[in-house]
Amino acid sequence: MRLATLLSPDLKQLLRDDPDQVRELLDEIHAEDLADIVSELEPDEAAQLLARLPADEAAPIFERLDETEQEELAELMAPESVAHIASEMEPDDRADLFSVLPDAIGDKILETLQRVDPEAAEAVREIEKWPDTSAGHLMTTNYLSVAPTIRVEEAIEAVRAYSVENENSPIYNVYALTADEHVVGIASLRDLIVNPGHEPLENVLRTNIISVPPDMDQEEVARRMAKYDLNVMPVIAVDGKLLGIITIDDVVDVLTQEQTEDVQKLGGIEPLDVPYFQTRFGEFIRKRGGWLVILFVGEFFTQTALRYYDPIFQVLQGASYYIPLLISAGGNSGSQSSTLIIRGLAVGEVRGRDWWRVLVRELLMGLVLGAILGVIGFARVLMYRDQSLPFAFTIALTLVGIVVAGCTIGSMLPLILKKIGLDPATSSTPFIASLVDVAGIVVFVHVARIVMAGVLAAGVPHGAPVP
């Protein structure tokens, strides 16, 4: 059972009877659990609770709330209260807050923040000037910088002083900067601890700096941090100036967000902006209905193909029983291939220039997988005494062709979308299935024309005795 479920009734009672005792109750609880508790409260009660807490205690709670909850509370609280809380938040979380607030409310709170903490307001403007999904918007401007000319022991003292002043900001590295904020080198805490205190800092600095530019997409930032196994990534401008750092907790949030969007797109749903239970019914209809209409219209082509080839199905009596079996095999194989390629593109295992290698591999896999299903399909047809051997061969060969088509379409479509600048996840599983359905009908008809040419020419049902 969640801690919030247990404590929220007590908090509500305390807010009514003796609000000042709330602080004593919250002193022993982690900020993440506090955010869960606040989420369980009514909005006006949550706003009242946060307003009564000192800004430095309310900030860690507020920055862990969902964006929709932050927006709702910011509208209920006085601008001065929100501004004081925002001044104590991490710069990147503070910028995220202002990015979700309506312009009228955000401008009023930012104006108040300018009076309360001009430096915090400037950090918001610095981060917000970058695109929402870029490294610049993901970074925090809180980092420890020192002059490269000091000794190791002086750098350690700087770490102690920074830790006292910025209690909630983790420290991973010390950045040696020139007077104009250009990066000379980086020293980790380990580098400082294992070297003698009298050692010049410049002797222990690492000058081979792995960094990202501020305009790099956040997914690429996450891949680079994972590749080099880093907890923090500096964001450095083209001229070498250090703009900020990206910490691992923000990257985890990015990966969760991107994975959620991809999963929803794979299911044929426009990505949700807020959690499931916070999404309005009408918003669900809009985000799901559009894709359903597109996919439904796409199935018109399947219906058109079936109608166009209806004379052949009339001759091959019983063929309609196998159509769902055939097109589902193609849709399933296509979905498998698209999922593998979308995932490969997301983690950098597959790139656009690898399309021909992907094509060869998927063609071969389609042939092998299709042959396996073809053998099973062949045996299934012959289980019925009214089915002929040519028809069994038709089903088997059709399965091979459909699976090959499914693997090819499923693997190439994400690469094509990536090439033209669209999200590969847009090639959702239902969309792939719709395309392969049409391909499956066409493959079946053409295989039947070749294998059962005599039956079709004579117009004799395939179940009739064959000489």
Side-chain angles (χ1 to χ4, degrees):
M1 183 179 293
R2 288 176 54 178
L3 182 63
T5 305
L6 295 173
L7 293 183
S8 58
D10 295 332
L11 278 175
K12 291 179 180 180
Q13 191 62 39
L14 278 175
L15 282 171
R16 297 186 186 99
D17 300 339
D18 192 355
D20 292 332
Q21 289 189 16
V22 172
R23 288 187 57 192
E24 298 179 11
L25 176 63
L26 300 183
D27 284 342
E28 305 297 326
I29 306 175
H30 191 276
E32 193 65 51
D33 294 322
L34 295 178
D36 289 338
I37 294 172
V38 171
S39 298
E40 293 289 336
L41 298 174
E42 294 298 326
D44 57 337
E45 294 172 330
Q48 183 182 353
L49 171 61
L50 291 172
R52 285 187 173 273
L53 292 174
D56 60 337
E57 295 181 17
I61 303 172
F62 195 84
E63 65 188 13
R64 286 173 168 82
L65 297 175
D66 292 333
E67 292 180 350
T68 52
E69 293 172 330
Q70 290 181 345
E71 179 183 350
E72 187 173 26
L73 292 177
E75 293 177 356
L76 293 173
M77 298 171 67
E80 291 76 13
S81 296
V82 180
H84 279 92
I85 292 175
S87 68
E88 297 292 337
M89 294 171 65
E90 288 295 304
D92 52 335
D93 294 321
R94 187 190 307 131
D96 290 339
L97 167 63
F98 281 95
S99 67
V100 301
L101 292 177
D103 291 340
I105 297 175
D107 292 343
K108 183 181 296 185
I109 295 175
L110 186 59
E111 182 180 342
T112 307
L113 181 62
Q114 181 67 43
R115 298 195 304 268
V116 172
D117 189 343
E119 186 176 341
E122 180 59 31
V124 171
R125 296 188 182 94
E126 176 65 26
I127 294 174
E128 279 200 317
K129 72 181 184 181
W130 301 105
D132 289 344
T133 59
S134 67
H137 201 277
L138 196 62
M139 69 182 181
T140 175
T141 54
N142 272 2
Y143 55 85
L144 175 57
S145 62
V146 297
T149 55
I150 66 174
R151 298 189 304 274
V152 168
E153 59 187 0
E154 293 176 289
I156 293 177
E157 285 300 321
V159 170
R160 293 193 181 102
Y162 181 88
S163 299
V164 172
E165 185 178 350
N166 302 270
E167 184 179 350
N168 296 319
S169 297
I171 302 177
Y172 299 96
N173 297 320
V174 173
Y175 299 88
L177 306 182
T178 62
D180 55 358
E181 298 185 342
H182 285 70
V183 184
V184 175
I186 299 175
S188 67
L189 295 184
R190 182 181 183 278
D191 294 331
L192 299 180
I193 293 172
V194 301
N195 282 282
H198 59 79
E199 186 79 13
L201 180 63
E202 58 186 359
N203 290 350
V204 302
L205 292 176
R206 289 178 285 111
T207 56
N208 181 23
I209 303 171
I210 300 171
S211 64
V212 294
D215 56 352
M216 177 178 284
D217 186 83
Q218 60 184 13
E219 284 191 84
E220 183 59 35
V221 173
R223 282 195 289 266
R224 186 168 297 189
M225 289 186 70
K227 177 180 179 180
Y228 293 103
D229 196 21
L230 299 176
N231 290 325
V232 62
M233 177 74 77
V235 181
I236 300 179
V238 178
D239 61 359
K241 182 178 180 180
L242 180 63
L243 301 178
I245 60 173
I246 299 172
T247 53
I248 189 64
D249 60 314
D250 294 313
V251 171
V252 171
D253 292 340
V254 167
L255 293 175
T256 302
Q257 174 189 346
E258 296 292 344
Q259 183 183 46
T260 300
E261 289 183 359
D262 287 348
V263 168
Q264 291 172 347
K265 287 180 179 178
L266 285 171
I269 302 173
E270 186 180 342
L272 303 177
D273 300 322
V274 295
Y276 179 86
F277 285 111
Q278 296 178 16
T279 302
R280 296 173 181 172
F281 185 80
E283 189 71 4
F284 266 130
I285 298 301
R286 186 182 69 81
K287 290 182 176 291
R288 297 178 64 174
W291 270 105
L292 284 176
V293 169
I294 292 173
L295 294 171
F296 183 73
V297 172
E299 288 295 340
F300 286 179
F301 294 102
T302 304
Q303 180 263 343
T304 301
L306 287 170
R307 187 178 182 86
Y308 181 78
Y309 294 117
D310 185 64
I312 294 178
F313 291 117
Q314 290 294 330
V315 173
L316 299 178
Q317 294 179 3
S320 58
Y321 300 146
Y322 295 91
I323 292 300
L325 183 72
L326 297 174
I327 62 179
S328 66
N332 292 337
S333 61
S335 299
Q336 286 182 337
S337 297
S338 65
T339 301
L340 290 171
I341 300 305
I342 291 170
R343 179 60 181 166
L345 289 169
V347 300
E349 296 174 353
V350 178
R351 300 186 179 182
R353 64 172 180 267
D354 298 325
W355 68 269
W356 64 273
R357 296 174 57 194
V358 172
L359 179 61
V360 172
R361 287 173 66 89
E362 291 297 322
L363 283 173
L364 292 176
M365 280 190 281
L367 286 171
V368 174
L369 295 173
I372 294 172
L373 296 184
V375 170
I376 298 173
F378 182 84
R380 175 62 176 171
V381 173
L382 293 183
M383 288 175 61
Y384 298 97
R385 295 182 179 179
D386 62 340
Q387 304 293 351
S388 65
L389 192 61
F391 186 72
F393 275 116
T394 299
I395 295 298
L397 293 176
T398 299
L399 280 168
V400 175
I402 287 178
V403 173
V404 169
C407 291
T408 303
I409 295 173
S411 60
M412 291 295 103
L413 188 58
L415 292 172
I416 293 172
L417 293 176
K418 179 75 172 180
K419 181 67 175 178
I420 62 179
L422 298 178
D423 189 342
T426 305
S427 57
S428 62
T429 297
F431 188 58
I432 295 288
S434 298
L435 289 177
V436 178
D437 285 353
V438 180
I441 295 171
V442 174
V443 170
F444 172 75
V445 169
H446 283 78
V447 171
R449 281 176 171 172
I450 296 173
V451 177
M452 306 187 69
V455 175
L456 292 174
V460 179
H462 72 273
V466 179

